[in-house]
Amino acid sequence: MSERSLSVKQICEAAVNRGGADVTAAAMEHATELFLKEMAYQLCDGYSINTGYFTAGTQIRGVFDSPTETFSNPKHSILFQFNQGEKLRAEIPNIEISILGVADATSAILQVKDVKSGTINDLLTPGRNLKISGSKIKVAGEDKANGIYFVNTDTDDRTQVELSDVVNNNPSELIIIVPILSAGTYRLEVVTQFTSNSILLKEPRTAAFDKILTVA
């Protein structure tokens, strides 16, 4: 799978360049942003969405102890659930796959699961478990820079996960307790000297997740 993420603007430009659009990229981007904004409004209003390419709906997590109990944080939470639709599923047979693997010299974060919400590559729940899957991501070595970090995308402030909050530290999986982070968006980074053999790297390397994670 490609490690690159495309923005709405890039997708619209690609559609025009391939000849698959009869409007300008700017017009397509504007219309798409209007659609997505309205879709978000309808989801927040309790409606489910079916575009043919994906379905989306709003879910409430948590236990209500009585029929009259009201919604309250942090006991209850709201999340948006997206699933593939029939039109997108129909494209699967047309996909050509080449297994390239992960280069031996690099480490990579492949997937992040927020255990409390059950979401993949999306939410962070401070104070709860986060499962990080990847390749060569075990935190090892004596360099002071080694560790697991959440980097605020607005301020670039870096919050390191305390060693005592690393529950599982394996080459292909880390399980941590998410630090107490303020609401916002974050990049996840793992800094380590780990290699697949017994010899540690002389200098730490950083594996940066290519998707943005959100604390609601």
Side-chain angles (χ1 to χ4, degrees), residues 19-167:
D22 56 2
V23 296
T24 65
M28 183 184 293
E29 181 184 1
H30 177 67
T32 302
E33 293 291 356
L34 290 176
F35 169 80
L36 293 174
K37 183 177 180 179
E38 183 61 25
M39 183 184 72
Y41 177 86
Q42 297 297 341
L43 283 170
C44 292
D45 210 25
Y47 287 95
S48 295
I49 304 295
N50 186 350
T51 67
Y53 287 93
F54 64 85
T55 61
T58 309
Q59 294 186 356
I60 297 177
R61 294 288 180 90
V63 177
F64 290 83
D65 296 321
S66 72
T68 59
E69 183 180 359
T70 58
F71 180 92
S72 64
N73 281 317
K75 183 178 181 181
H76 307 116
S77 61
I78 299 174
L79 61 87
F80 299 112
Q81 187 73 41
F82 287 77
N83 293 291
Q84 64 180 350
E86 292 183 4
K87 290 183 178 180
L88 190 60
R89 193 179 301 115
E91 296 294 330
I92 293 177
N94 300 324
I95 299 174
E96 296 183 2
I97 300 175
S98 298
I99 306 299
L100 302 178
V102 179
D104 184 67
T106 63
S107 57
I109 301 171
L110 304 177
Q111 178 177 287
V112 172
K113 180 178 181 179
D114 183 71
V115 176
K116 183 179 188 302
S117 67
T119 56
I120 304 294
N121 303 338
D122 185 9
L123 299 180
L124 297 171
T125 304
R128 304 300 290 266
N129 284 346
L130 188 74
K131 184 181 293 185
I132 306 168
S133 302
S135 174
K136 301 181 180 67
I137 55 175
K138 179 178 180 178
V139 179
E142 299 298 325
D143 195 289
K144 293 181 179 180
N146 292 335
I148 304 164
Y149 297 86
F150 292 94
V151 184
N152 188 291
T153 59
D154 292 326
T155 65
D156 282 332
D157 289 340
R158 299 170 64 83
T159 301
Q160 185 173 4
V161 177
E162 294 185 8
L163 183 60
S164 59
D165 287 337
V166 179
V167 181

